[in-house]
Amino acid sequence: MSYTAHGAVIDVTAEALVFRRSLLASSLGAPAHESLSLAGATGVECTEPTATGFGQVIVHGTSGSGGGAGDTVIRFAPGQDATAFAQAVEAALRGEAPAASTRVQGLNFTAVDVETANDNWGSVCQIGAVRFRDGEETESRTWLCTPPPGLEHFDDVNISIHGITPDDVADASPFADAAAELFDFLGSDTMVAHNAQFDSTALRSGLKKSAAPVPEIRLACSLALARDASRAGVIDVANHKLPTVASYIGAEDFHHHEATADARAAGEIVSALAQRFGHSGSIEDLFTTRDFALGTLSEESVIPVLRANTAPLSAADLGAGTDFRDKTRMAGTTSGAKKKSSGSAQRRGPAPWQSVSTPDTIPDPNPDADPEGALFGQNVTLTGDFEPFDKGLLWSKIAERGGKVGKNVTKKTTILVVGQWATKTSKEKRAEELQGKGQNIEIWQTDKLLEELQLDEAPPF
């Protein structure tokens, strides 16, 4: 079980207390992640906090600090439940592992994941959904389906990832029918996914291709919440990929890239992080208290889950970033990274005669951004296509981080970010020419920019 103390969330197990400290506490010198063995502990002493004063729990016989020799003192702020924590530690000392309940009262949602047949995000061939009530799984559904018309072909790389073949879906329902059943199962729930931008865009793109209606659905993102938990010092992970975070929070091993298993893992991450944040209540309140605005899937657009202090985005703001136009390439963004031909990566993207819209207004760089950030003070130019993100969104986020955006490669350019395109662009050729003349220009691939802007995590198939 997890308990909230002053500056930390503490997991109590039969063997140890695992501290996951807040960003403030860790910035003041405390380890962000620490495990305290209970092997030598001899007892627990508890003083409840008052309405205006701190309380504390002393765990005797440990190697901690702040009390007598071998004692660990844990402070609790007003409103925090020191007694419940002390009782859990006492139970652990008696050899009674605290109950591993994942209940979070009022935390109701449905987690969803999709797998695709090829590099077009709309080529959905499997859907998984898991319903959570009070933070615990109550029901799950899985649908195999034939991808939408025109998107039925299966790429070898996709098959190698999820194992689904054309024969597996030969007798399955069409995607539009499976999606309709999904939305019935979803009901009025908020939809959770790990990188909700991908799964919601895949559903919308597939529905558009099938000429089927697109319902309006609220979106929450376990990936965004996991990144926030890292910033807060609540988790300490090497990356925020679904298996990494799921393993960290103690989820059981699962078959990654099986849609229902992935959906279940995303839901378990949300429930576990809600506990570690000390949250009880709705999923909307969970994300609001962490300064996020929920996203939306609708007929007009997909608006991603964003921090509340980010300027709100309308469908018009997102433009090409959520509307897979006939003029642009197929919707996948992972082809260049994952598909190989004769050992070398293929360029994918719009043909040279196709257009990708460029916004008219360049945002001013934020002078108060983190000066240690990789984009602060840099002159940044984008070239190519960055679906599903449009350049206006990327420009605004670059500016938020103190970068100066340029439309063209000039002698002032310090970073050129190369998006998907069928051939090498004139901007990239110009950057290479200036590099040859001694100008210090870094050429970034899309993944590096998205990671810096916290829009990364290549979407799963």
Side-chain angles (χ1 to χ4, degrees):
M1 285 289 288
S2 297
Y3 298 87
T4 303
H6 179 58
V9 175
I10 308 171
D11 295 339
V12 180
T13 73
E15 297 81 22
L17 304 180
V18 180
F19 292 77
R20 308 181 194 281
R21 292 188 173 86
S22 67
L23 187 60
L24 176 59
S26 58
S27 71
L28 294 175
H33 184 277
E34 182 180 22
S35 182
L36 176 68
S37 174
L38 293 176
T42 58
V44 180
E45 181 182 340
C46 176
T47 303
E48 269 288 324
T50 66
T52 58
F54 279 79
Q56 65 182 25
V57 172
I58 303 175
V59 184
H60 297 290
T62 59
S63 57
S65 60
D71 291 348
T72 296
V73 177
I74 302 163
R75 300 183 73 207
F76 286 78
Q80 295 176 337
D81 196 343
T83 298
F85 172 76
Q87 290 172 345
V89 177
E90 289 171 343
L93 297 183
R94 293 193 301 268
E96 303 168 5
S101 172
T102 58
R103 290 183 67 83
V104 180
Q105 192 69 33
L107 190 66
N108 303 330
F109 60 89
T110 296
V112 174
D113 182 82
V114 304
E115 303 296 325
T116 59
N118 55 67
D119 69 351
N120 188 306
W121 288 10
S123 63
V124 177
C125 60
Q126 186 187 39
I127 305 170
V130 181
R131 181 179 292 139
F132 285 77
R133 291 294 178 264
D134 293 330
E136 295 185 334
E137 177 180 345
T138 60
E139 189 176 356
S140 65
R141 290 285 304 275
T142 306
W143 295 268
L144 281 172
C145 56
T146 55
L151 303 179
E152 298 95 338
H153 68 282
F154 279 70
D155 284 345
D156 289 343
V157 65
N158 294 64
I159 294 173
S160 72
I161 290 170
H162 53 52
I164 302 169
T165 68
D167 289 342
D168 292 327
V169 302
D171 298 322
S173 299
F175 163 74
D177 292 348
E181 292 184 20
L182 164 68
F183 295 130
D184 284 343
F185 182 81
L186 188 67
S188 60
D189 275 7
T190 293
M191 181 181 118
V192 164
H194 201 73
N195 192 4
Q197 173 84 7
F198 167 71
D199 297 274
S200 56
T201 301
L203 290 169
R204 178 176 179 271
S205 185
L207 291 168
K208 290 284 193 179
K209 191 71 175 177
S210 303
V214 182
E216 185 162 321
I217 304 294
R218 293 186 309 277
L219 304 174
C221 184
S222 57
L223 171 60
L225 195 64
R227 289 199 181 110
D228 177 62
S230 285
R231 286 190 290 269
V234 171
I235 62 174
D236 182 13
V237 290
N239 58 60
H240 299 97
K241 295 180 185 295
L242 182 66
T244 304
V245 182
S247 175
Y248 185 88
I249 57 95
E252 293 184 5
D253 290 342
F254 64 101
H255 182 192
H256 188 29
H257 295 302
E258 193 284 319
T260 304
D262 283 2
R264 178 176 294 110
E268 289 174 346
I269 287 169
V270 168
S271 295
L273 295 182
Q275 283 188 309
R276 294 183 182 193
F277 283 129
H279 173 79
S280 63
S282 71
I283 191 162
E284 293 82 5
D285 287 346
L286 170 61
F287 276 76
T288 299
T289 57
R290 300 308 306 170
D291 292 328
F292 286 104
L294 293 183
T296 306
L297 162 67
S298 69
E299 187 78 40
E300 293 76 24
S301 66
V302 170
I303 297 178
V305 178
L306 295 170
R307 286 208 167 272
N309 57 8
T310 300
L313 299 174
S314 66
D317 293 326
L318 288 169
T322 54
D323 184 7
F324 289 85
R325 302 161 298 168
D326 292 338
K327 288 185 177 180
T328 59
R329 63 176 173 82
M330 292 192 301
T333 63
T334 59
S335 301
K338 295 194 177 185
K339 293 188 74 175
K340 305 274 184 180
S341 175
S342 303
S344 63
Q346 291 180 330
R347 273 188 183 264
R348 302 290 296 241
W353 59 86
Q354 293 176 322
S355 64
V356 175
S357 62
T358 298
D360 295 324
T361 304
I362 295 177
D364 293 327
N366 174 16
D368 299 320
D370 180 4
E372 301 298 321
L375 293 170
F376 188 86
Q378 301 290 340
N379 289 274
V380 185
T381 296
L382 307 182
T383 185
D385 183 40
F386 297 86
E387 294 277 11
F389 307 103
D390 94 333
K391 287 184 178 178
L393 173 63
L394 298 180
W395 280 8
S396 67
K397 288 191 167 292
I398 290 168
E400 284 174 13
R401 285 157 177 77
K404 184 176 181 179
V405 175
K407 290 186 177 181
N408 298 304
V409 174
T410 70
K411 292 183 178 180
K412 293 182 178 180
T413 304
T414 56
I415 296 175
L416 175 69
V417 186
V418 178
Q420 298 288 320
W421 204 252
T423 61
K424 186 176 290 188
T425 67
S426 60
K427 290 179 184 178
E428 188 175 0
K429 291 177 182 177
R430 175 60 174 161
E432 291 174 347
E433 177 186 338
L434 291 173
Q435 281 181 328
K437 294 179 179 180
Q439 183 169 329
N440 184 19
I441 300 180
E442 293 184 51
I443 297 181
W444 289 12
Q445 298 303 311
T446 303
D447 289 350
K448 185 171 182 178
L449 177 67
L450 296 185
E451 180 179 3
E452 184 65 29
L453 299 181
Q454 298 179 350
L455 295 170
D456 61 324
E457 191 80 2
F461 287 108

